[in-house]
Amino acid sequence: MTRPVPWIPSVLYGAVLLGGLYYAAIGPGPGVRSAGFAGLLCALTVLDAREWPVASGAVFAPGAVFALRAVLLGAVAALDPSGLSRVLFVLLPFLAFFVWGRTVSVVLGAGCVAALAGVFTVRVPHWEVRAEYISDLLMFALGVVLAIAMAAVAVREQQARARLEGTLAQVAELSAARERNRLARDIHDSLGHHLTAIGIQLEKAEAFASLDAAGSAQAVAHARWSANRALDEVRASVRTLGPEAESGPAGPGRALTDLVHHLDGGSGRITLEVSGTERRPLLVLYRAAQEGLTNACRHSGATQIHVDVAYEEQGAVLRVADNGGGLGTAEEGFGLAGLRERLRLAGGSVELRSSATGTVLTVRVPW
């Protein structure tokens, strides 16, 4: 149920009270009827100012409150010798609009006009040929129409505000979900990759500890480099906590060289080839290389991994190819799903071809 406009009844009550007291002052003078008239208007003001419970089974349901208001209005009209209080009956269709809607409001408004005509018929002989009563009836009917129109506008405004609040809540929820997804992608692509690299290098260091002390120490150094890089990227994310930058850690060209060097550890398992001229750094290209290398090193069992970066006229193309056993029946994980989302936002594309002889990941990023 929509809420009525609270100030309109109060303004009408105040205007009628002042008009009635002024009429009493210049006419018959204040008396018991004037006191009762003022007291009932105050009671109506309190009634409309209070929020009555509307739940099922409540003592003061909307219909009961509305009926009480109608009785009080009738009592006010009976105690008002000036006749000004009849204007208050426009509140009945006005307030009914908020409780029961347009149809009930229009029917009730027509009933109020008909009731006023009936009162004139009973109390004023031949009122239908007296201009002042015809004018009063027409003005009252116009007031009813305006009250219903005002209620319709108020209800539409409240409904529009409710829809707007709902839309804003949905936008906030979607924005929060998008930010959660972005943070999840960043954690997976950055921290997840570096942890994988650290694990690979530490396994190498452990395997060669008794056979090749220098190679084992080099693997530990590469693991330390990955740990420091992970820490740097976490600090950068904490500092910004905003939309991800479009530049890589140091520009993909040099960053990819460092990435391959420390991940490969001098074994010659991973090779890198770069052609063309880099126009501007692309973080998404670096993240794609991280994802491709992480999957190839961890899951494929490949002995050879080749990374090819070509800077072309329309954009950059990255290929990560390995000679591993392929994906088989495994489904794509969160990393590839996050990579596809990154490329979608960047206007690029991802192509993944896998077989028993190897996997090729191809990423295209427009300038």
Side-chain angles (χ1 to χ4, degrees):
M1 185 180 70
T2 51
R3 292 281 301 157
V5 182
W7 58 268
I8 290 179
S10 298
V11 169
L12 283 179
Y13 295 149
V16 170
L17 176 61
L18 292 176
L21 293 178
Y22 177 76
Y23 180 84
I26 63 174
V32 175
R33 292 186 62 178
S34 297
F37 168 76
L40 289 175
L41 284 175
C42 292
L44 281 167
T45 302
V46 173
L47 179 69
D48 287 332
R50 179 174 175 180
E51 283 192 41
W52 299 98
V54 296
S56 177
V59 176
F60 290 99
V65 175
F66 192 86
L68 177 60
R69 182 184 293 109
V71 170
L72 290 176
L73 287 176
V76 169
L79 293 176
D80 178 22
S82 68
L84 295 175
S85 58
R86 70 171 67 110
V87 71
L88 296 178
F89 284 91
V90 302
L91 291 175
L92 294 180
F94 174 79
L95 296 173
F97 200 111
F98 295 92
V99 181
W100 297 292
R102 182 190 303 274
T103 302
V104 173
S105 176
V106 171
V107 171
L108 192 56
C112 288
V113 175
L116 181 60
V119 170
F120 286 168
T121 301
V122 172
R123 292 187 176 182
V124 184
H126 308 295
W127 68 270
E128 64 275 6
V129 295
R130 298 175 62 176
E132 63 271 24
Y133 288 98
I134 296 295
S135 176
D136 285 350
L137 184 63
L138 291 177
M139 292 301 295
F140 180 77
L142 179 61
V144 168
V145 171
L146 292 177
I148 294 174
M150 186 180 299
V153 171
V155 168
R156 283 198 296 268
E157 186 270 338
Q158 291 179 15
Q159 292 173 344
R161 184 181 302 168
R163 287 194 297 269
L164 177 60
E165 291 175 353
T167 301
L168 291 176
Q170 291 178 353
V171 169
E173 183 177 348
L174 290 174
S175 298
R178 181 178 179 182
E179 184 64 11
R180 285 195 299 268
N181 290 336
R182 186 188 72 82
L183 290 174
R185 288 197 306 269
D186 284 348
I187 292 172
H188 177 276
D189 295 345
S190 177
L191 190 59
H193 163 78
H194 289 302
L195 290 175
T196 298
I198 291 170
I200 293 172
Q201 295 300 333
L202 291 179
E203 288 176 2
K204 180 180 178 181
E206 184 180 14
F208 285 89
S210 59
L211 302 176
D212 184 0
S216 178
Q218 185 183 44
V220 172
H222 289 317
R224 185 182 297 112
W225 177 89
S226 293
N228 290 334
R229 176 56 60 84
L231 184 58
D232 289 341
E233 293 189 13
V234 168
R235 286 171 175 168
S237 297
V238 171
R239 280 197 302 269
T240 57
L241 283 180
E244 60 188 36
E246 271 301 315
S247 60
R254 191 174 69 188
L256 284 176
T257 301
D258 289 343
L259 179 66
V260 169
H261 172 69
H262 290 90
L263 189 60
D264 182 59
S267 67
R269 179 189 180 195
I270 306 174
T271 58
L272 171 66
E273 182 179 349
V274 179
S275 61
T277 303
E278 180 182 353
R279 293 189 180 182
R280 67 181 179 89
L282 294 169
L283 176 60
V284 67
L285 201 70
Y286 180 80
R287 295 303 190 202
Q290 281 185 317
E291 178 64 22
L293 286 172
T294 299
N295 288 338
C297 291
R298 173 184 283 182
H299 304 299
S300 71
T303 58
Q304 292 294 322
I305 305 170
H306 181 67
V307 181
D308 178 75
V309 180
Y311 297 111
E312 301 175 349
E313 185 67 24
Q314 300 300 322
V317 180
L318 167 76
R319 291 182 179 87
V320 180
D322 65 64
N323 64 349
L327 295 176
T329 58
E331 297 182 355
E332 293 186 4
F334 178 82
L336 284 174
L339 180 59
R340 293 187 187 279
E341 178 65 12
R342 283 185 186 275
L343 268 295
R344 185 189 68 81
L345 296 175
S349 63
V350 179
E351 180 184 352
L352 182 66
R353 292 187 290 107
S354 181
S355 66
T357 59
T359 301
V360 179
L361 174 69
T362 304
V363 170
R364 301 179 186 276
V365 187
W367 294 122

